[in-house]
Amino acid sequence: MKTEAVVPKPYPARGAQAFSATASDATGFAAVLQAKTAQTAAATASNGPAASEPADFTAMTRQQLFDWMNGQIRAGKLSLDDSTAFLGMTIKVSVASGQPVPLAGDNSRIDFIEKARQGVVGALARKDPALAKRLETAIAFMLRNQGQAIRA
């Protein structure tokens, strides 16, 4: 029996393809990028106050708290672990339906500092010192940042 050494070319079809970006591809990409950037900027502008407005945790919407929390995480001022207490405060469940209420469109203002203080009392009553500590950390963080710009 005779064996031949046949070495197949890896990905033979790729050698024949020409990968080149044309001017129309670049223009199309630039147009899509510009549209998405404008869409994101419009969404950011409609979601809450501008950077010059100070954070007021005693009268803030859930959306504003959520946006502030994300800005602090992006800026490296708030860890993901420490953000769990804030994330919990942004959740609202309808009593009538039992379903979560979306952040967008809910313009009710909440005193999140007082809400966190009540959470500490509840956590201690339930003998949950870990939650109480997270909420106390959140309260201290809010008090330090009270009056500072919402978006970094």
Side-chain angles (χ1 to χ4, degrees), residues 72-95:
Q72 296 298 309
I73 292 169
R74 284 188 197 108
K77 297 177 182 177
L78 183 65
S79 72
L80 289 176
D81 287 340
D82 289 338
S83 73
T84 59
F86 292 105
L87 188 60
M89 287 187 270
T90 64
I91 297 170
K92 182 178 183 180
V93 178
S94 170
V95 175

PDB file of all heavy atoms in Angstrom, residues 72-95:
ATOM      1  N   GLN A  72     -21.314  56.850  39.395  1.00  0.00           N
ATOM      2  CA  GLN A  72     -20.310  56.627  40.441  1.00  0.00           C
ATOM      3  C   GLN A  72     -19.514  55.345  40.174  1.00  0.00           C
ATOM      4  O   GLN A  72     -18.314  55.301  40.418  1.00  0.00           O
ATOM      5  CB  GLN A  72     -20.984  56.557  41.817  1.00  0.00           C
ATOM      6  CG  GLN A  72     -21.664  57.842  42.238  1.00  0.00           C
ATOM      7  CD  GLN A  72     -20.691  58.991  42.378  1.00  0.00           C
ATOM      8  OE1 GLN A  72     -19.666  58.893  43.040  1.00  0.00           O
ATOM      9  NE2 GLN A  72     -20.993  60.093  41.726  1.00  0.00           N
ATOM     10  N   ILE A  73     -20.196  54.320  39.675  1.00  0.00           N
ATOM     11  CA  ILE A  73     -19.506  53.062  39.348  1.00  0.00           C
ATOM     12  C   ILE A  73     -18.534  53.300  38.200  1.00  0.00           C
ATOM     13  O   ILE A  73     -17.376  52.877  38.253  1.00  0.00           O
ATOM     14  CB  ILE A  73     -20.518  51.951  38.995  1.00  0.00           C
ATOM     15  CG1 ILE A  73     -21.318  51.556  40.240  1.00  0.00           C
ATOM     16  CG2 ILE A  73     -19.808  50.734  38.410  1.00  0.00           C
ATOM     17  CD1 ILE A  73     -22.516  50.670  39.954  1.00  0.00           C
ATOM     18  N   ARG A  74     -19.005  53.983  37.145  1.00  0.00           N
ATOM     19  CA  ARG A  74     -18.130  54.264  35.990  1.00  0.00           C
ATOM     20  C   ARG A  74     -16.926  55.106  36.377  1.00  0.00           C
ATOM     21  O   ARG A  74     -15.843  54.938  35.835  1.00  0.00           O
ATOM     22  CB  ARG A  74     -18.920  54.977  34.896  1.00  0.00           C
ATOM     23  CG  ARG A  74     -19.832  54.071  34.132  1.00  0.00           C
ATOM     24  CD  ARG A  74     -20.448  54.797  32.934  1.00  0.00           C
ATOM     25  NE  ARG A  74     -21.576  54.061  32.467  1.00  0.00           N
ATOM     26  CZ  ARG A  74     -22.839  54.424  32.621  1.00  0.00           C
ATOM     27  NH1 ARG A  74     -23.148  55.565  33.223  1.00  0.00           N
ATOM     28  NH2 ARG A  74     -23.815  53.667  32.175  1.00  0.00           N
ATOM     29  N   ALA A  75     -17.129  56.033  37.311  1.00  0.00           N
ATOM     30  CA  ALA A  75     -16.035  56.908  37.747  1.00  0.00           C
ATOM     31  C   ALA A  75     -15.088  56.204  38.722  1.00  0.00           C
ATOM     32  O   ALA A  75     -14.062  56.757  39.093  1.00  0.00           O
ATOM     33  CB  ALA A  75     -16.612  58.164  38.402  1.00  0.00           C
ATOM     34  N   GLY A  76     -15.444  54.992  39.146  1.00  0.00           N
ATOM     35  CA  GLY A  76     -14.590  54.251  40.057  1.00  0.00           C
ATOM     36  C   GLY A  76     -14.739  54.675  41.503  1.00  0.00           C
ATOM     37  O   GLY A  76     -13.913  54.326  42.347  1.00  0.00           O
ATOM     38  N   LYS A  77     -15.794  55.430  41.814  1.00  0.00           N
ATOM     39  CA  LYS A  77     -16.002  55.907  43.175  1.00  0.00           C
ATOM     40  C   LYS A  77     -16.868  54.961  44.002  1.00  0.00           C
ATOM     41  O   LYS A  77     -16.937  55.085  45.219  1.00  0.00           O
ATOM     42  CB  LYS A  77     -16.653  57.286  43.152  1.00  0.00           C
ATOM     43  CG  LYS A  77     -15.784  58.342  42.498  1.00  0.00           C
ATOM     44  CD  LYS A  77     -16.508  59.662  42.432  1.00  0.00           C
ATOM     45  CE  LYS A  77     -15.641  60.711  41.734  1.00  0.00           C
ATOM     46  NZ  LYS A  77     -16.362  61.979  41.598  1.00  0.00           N
ATOM     47  N   LEU A  78     -17.555  54.029  43.324  1.00  0.00           N
ATOM     48  CA  LEU A  78     -18.463  53.107  43.994  1.00  0.00           C
ATOM     49  C   LEU A  78     -18.221  51.714  43.430  1.00  0.00           C
ATOM     50  O   LEU A  78     -18.216  51.531  42.215  1.00  0.00           O
ATOM     51  CB  LEU A  78     -19.917  53.538  43.743  1.00  0.00           C
ATOM     52  CG  LEU A  78     -21.024  52.739  44.408  1.00  0.00           C
ATOM     53  CD1 LEU A  78     -20.956  52.882  45.934  1.00  0.00           C
ATOM     54  CD2 LEU A  78     -22.387  53.226  43.920  1.00  0.00           C
ATOM     55  N   SER A  79     -17.995  50.755  44.317  1.00  0.00           N
ATOM     56  CA  SER A  79     -17.766  49.385  43.858  1.00  0.00           C
ATOM     57  C   SER A  79     -19.098  48.711  43.548  1.00  0.00           C
ATOM     58  O   SER A  79     -20.155  49.150  44.013  1.00  0.00           O
ATOM     59  CB  SER A  79     -17.014  48.581  44.926  1.00  0.00           C
ATOM     60  OG  SER A  79     -17.873  48.310  46.011  1.00  0.00           O
ATOM     61  N   LEU A  80     -19.042  47.643  42.792  1.00  0.00           N
ATOM     62  CA  LEU A  80     -20.265  46.902  42.489  1.00  0.00           C
ATOM     63  C   LEU A  80     -20.878  46.316  43.750  1.00  0.00           C
ATOM     64  O   LEU A  80     -22.106  46.281  43.888  1.00  0.00           O
ATOM     65  CB  LEU A  80     -19.976  45.790  41.471  1.00  0.00           C
ATOM     66  CG  LEU A  80     -19.682  46.263  40.052  1.00  0.00           C
ATOM     67  CD1 LEU A  80     -19.305  45.084  39.160  1.00  0.00           C
ATOM     68  CD2 LEU A  80     -20.856  47.012  39.465  1.00  0.00           C
ATOM     69  N   ASP A  81     -20.053  45.879  44.678  1.00  0.00           N
ATOM     70  CA  ASP A  81     -20.569  45.338  45.942  1.00  0.00           C
ATOM     71  C   ASP A  81     -21.326  46.413  46.727  1.00  0.00           C
ATOM     72  O   ASP A  81     -22.403  46.166  47.271  1.00  0.00           O
ATOM     73  CB  ASP A  81     -19.444  44.776  46.803  1.00  0.00           C
ATOM     74  CG  ASP A  81     -18.892  43.470  46.258  1.00  0.00           C
ATOM     75  OD1 ASP A  81     -19.598  42.811  45.463  1.00  0.00           O
ATOM     76  OD2 ASP A  81     -17.764  43.108  46.626  1.00  0.00           O
ATOM     77  N   ASP A  82     -20.744  47.619  46.788  1.00  0.00           N
ATOM     78  CA  ASP A  82     -21.395  48.701  47.527  1.00  0.00           C
ATOM     79  C   ASP A  82     -22.640  49.215  46.810  1.00  0.00           C
ATOM     80  O   ASP A  82     -23.512  49.821  47.428  1.00  0.00           O
ATOM     81  CB  ASP A  82     -20.426  49.853  47.765  1.00  0.00           C
ATOM     82  CG  ASP A  82     -19.357  49.502  48.790  1.00  0.00           C
ATOM     83  OD1 ASP A  82     -19.587  48.577  49.597  1.00  0.00           O
ATOM     84  OD2 ASP A  82     -18.288  50.147  48.780  1.00  0.00           O
ATOM     85  N   SER A  83     -22.742  48.978  45.501  1.00  0.00           N
ATOM     86  CA  SER A  83     -23.890  49.477  44.744  1.00  0.00           C
ATOM     87  C   SER A  83     -25.150  48.646  44.969  1.00  0.00           C
ATOM     88  O   SER A  83     -26.245  49.087  44.628  1.00  0.00           O
ATOM     89  CB  SER A  83     -23.572  49.524  43.252  1.00  0.00           C
ATOM     90  OG  SER A  83     -23.542  48.216  42.701  1.00  0.00           O
ATOM     91  N   THR A  84     -25.020  47.454  45.567  1.00  0.00           N
ATOM     92  CA  THR A  84     -26.201  46.596  45.739  1.00  0.00           C
ATOM     93  C   THR A  84     -27.256  47.251  46.624  1.00  0.00           C
ATOM     94  O   THR A  84     -28.451  47.087  46.381  1.00  0.00           O
ATOM     95  CB  THR A  84     -25.818  45.219  46.317  1.00  0.00           C
ATOM     96  OG1 THR A  84     -25.174  45.396  47.573  1.00  0.00           O
ATOM     97  CG2 THR A  84     -24.924  44.448  45.365  1.00  0.00           C
ATOM     98  N   ALA A  85     -26.853  48.000  47.620  1.00  0.00           N
ATOM     99  CA  ALA A  85     -27.824  48.683  48.478  1.00  0.00           C
ATOM    100  C   ALA A  85     -28.582  49.741  47.681  1.00  0.00           C
ATOM    101  O   ALA A  85     -29.798  49.891  47.826  1.00  0.00           O
ATOM    102  CB  ALA A  85     -27.123  49.319  49.669  1.00  0.00           C
ATOM    103  N   PHE A  86     -27.871  50.459  46.813  1.00  0.00           N
ATOM    104  CA  PHE A  86     -28.520  51.476  45.987  1.00  0.00           C
ATOM    105  C   PHE A  86     -29.452  50.822  44.960  1.00  0.00           C
ATOM    106  O   PHE A  86     -30.550  51.311  44.718  1.00  0.00           O
ATOM    107  CB  PHE A  86     -27.478  52.336  45.269  1.00  0.00           C
ATOM    108  CG  PHE A  86     -26.688  53.201  46.202  1.00  0.00           C
ATOM    109  CD1 PHE A  86     -25.385  52.877  46.529  1.00  0.00           C
ATOM    110  CD2 PHE A  86     -27.240  54.340  46.770  1.00  0.00           C
ATOM    111  CE1 PHE A  86     -24.651  53.666  47.397  1.00  0.00           C
ATOM    112  CE2 PHE A  86     -26.523  55.134  47.638  1.00  0.00           C
ATOM    113  CZ  PHE A  86     -25.219  54.795  47.951  1.00  0.00           C
ATOM    114  N   LEU A  87     -29.009  49.740  44.383  1.00  0.00           N
ATOM    115  CA  LEU A  87     -29.828  49.048  43.384  1.00  0.00           C
ATOM    116  C   LEU A  87     -31.131  48.579  44.004  1.00  0.00           C
ATOM    117  O   LEU A  87     -32.201  48.699  43.398  1.00  0.00           O
ATOM    118  CB  LEU A  87     -29.050  47.870  42.788  1.00  0.00           C
ATOM    119  CG  LEU A  87     -29.698  47.182  41.601  1.00  0.00           C
ATOM    120  CD1 LEU A  87     -29.900  48.153  40.451  1.00  0.00           C
ATOM    121  CD2 LEU A  87     -28.847  46.013  41.153  1.00  0.00           C
ATOM    122  N   GLY A  88     -31.060  48.072  45.225  1.00  0.00           N
ATOM    123  CA  GLY A  88     -32.269  47.636  45.915  1.00  0.00           C
ATOM    124  C   GLY A  88     -33.249  48.774  46.149  1.00  0.00           C
ATOM    125  O   GLY A  88     -34.469  48.572  46.135  1.00  0.00           O
ATOM    126  N   MET A  89     -32.729  49.987  46.343  1.00  0.00           N
ATOM    127  CA  MET A  89     -33.603  51.133  46.577  1.00  0.00           C
ATOM    128  C   MET A  89     -34.293  51.611  45.306  1.00  0.00           C
ATOM    129  O   MET A  89     -35.271  52.353  45.375  1.00  0.00           O
ATOM    130  CB  MET A  89     -32.818  52.278  47.214  1.00  0.00           C
ATOM    131  CG  MET A  89     -32.466  52.023  48.667  1.00  0.00           C
ATOM    132  SD  MET A  89     -31.731  53.462  49.454  1.00  0.00           S
ATOM    133  CE  MET A  89     -29.996  53.179  49.132  1.00  0.00           C
ATOM    134  N   THR A  90     -33.804  51.217  44.143  1.00  0.00           N
ATOM    135  CA  THR A  90     -34.416  51.656  42.892  1.00  0.00           C
ATOM    136  C   THR A  90     -35.546  50.734  42.449  1.00  0.00           C
ATOM    137  O   THR A  90     -36.240  51.033  41.490  1.00  0.00           O
ATOM    138  CB  THR A  90     -33.376  51.726  41.753  1.00  0.00           C
ATOM    139  OG1 THR A  90     -32.873  50.421  41.486  1.00  0.00           O
ATOM    140  CG2 THR A  90     -32.238  52.674  42.090  1.00  0.00           C
ATOM    141  N   ILE A  91     -35.754  49.629  43.154  1.00  0.00           N
ATOM    142  CA  ILE A  91     -36.796  48.670  42.785  1.00  0.00           C
ATOM    143  C   ILE A  91     -38.113  49.065  43.444  1.00  0.00           C
ATOM    144  O   ILE A  91     -38.162  49.393  44.630  1.00  0.00           O
ATOM    145  CB  ILE A  91     -36.386  47.244  43.194  1.00  0.00           C
ATOM    146  CG1 ILE A  91     -35.134  46.831  42.432  1.00  0.00           C
ATOM    147  CG2 ILE A  91     -37.517  46.263  42.947  1.00  0.00           C
ATOM    148  CD1 ILE A  91     -34.506  45.550  42.935  1.00  0.00           C
ATOM    149  N   LYS A  92     -39.175  49.012  42.646  1.00  0.00           N
ATOM    150  CA  LYS A  92     -40.507  49.308  43.158  1.00  0.00           C
ATOM    151  C   LYS A  92     -41.469  48.282  42.573  1.00  0.00           C
ATOM    152  O   LYS A  92     -41.448  48.014  41.373  1.00  0.00           O
ATOM    153  CB  LYS A  92     -40.930  50.726  42.735  1.00  0.00           C
ATOM    154  CG  LYS A  92     -42.266  51.172  43.247  1.00  0.00           C
ATOM    155  CD  LYS A  92     -42.523  52.615  42.800  1.00  0.00           C
ATOM    156  CE  LYS A  92     -43.812  53.167  43.332  1.00  0.00           C
ATOM    157  NZ  LYS A  92     -44.012  54.567  42.878  1.00  0.00           N
ATOM    158  N   VAL A  93     -42.305  47.691  43.415  1.00  0.00           N
ATOM    159  CA  VAL A  93     -43.259  46.676  42.981  1.00  0.00           C
ATOM    160  C   VAL A  93     -44.666  47.199  43.230  1.00  0.00           C
ATOM    161  O   VAL A  93     -44.972  47.687  44.322  1.00  0.00           O
ATOM    162  CB  VAL A  93     -43.034  45.341  43.729  1.00  0.00           C
ATOM    163  CG1 VAL A  93     -44.060  44.308  43.324  1.00  0.00           C
ATOM    164  CG2 VAL A  93     -41.631  44.822  43.482  1.00  0.00           C
ATOM    165  N   SER A  94     -45.513  47.090  42.225  1.00  0.00           N
ATOM    166  CA  SER A  94     -46.901  47.522  42.344  1.00  0.00           C
ATOM    167  C   SER A  94     -47.654  46.598  43.294  1.00  0.00           C
ATOM    168  O   SER A  94     -47.601  45.373  43.149  1.00  0.00           O
ATOM    169  CB  SER A  94     -47.568  47.511  40.968  1.00  0.00           C
ATOM    170  OG  SER A  94     -48.963  47.693  41.099  1.00  0.00           O
ATOM    171  N   VAL A  95     -48.365  47.180  44.250  1.00  0.00           N
ATOM    172  CA  VAL A  95     -49.144  46.389  45.196  1.00  0.00           C
ATOM    173  C   VAL A  95     -50.305  45.715  44.465  1.00  0.00           C
ATOM    174  O   VAL A  95     -50.628  44.559  44.722  1.00  0.00           O
ATOM    175  CB  VAL A  95     -49.666  47.275  46.354  1.00  0.00           C
ATOM    176  CG1 VAL A  95     -50.568  46.492  47.280  1.00  0.00           C
ATOM    177  CG2 VAL A  95     -48.506  47.876  47.115  1.00  0.00           C
TER     178      VAL A  95
END
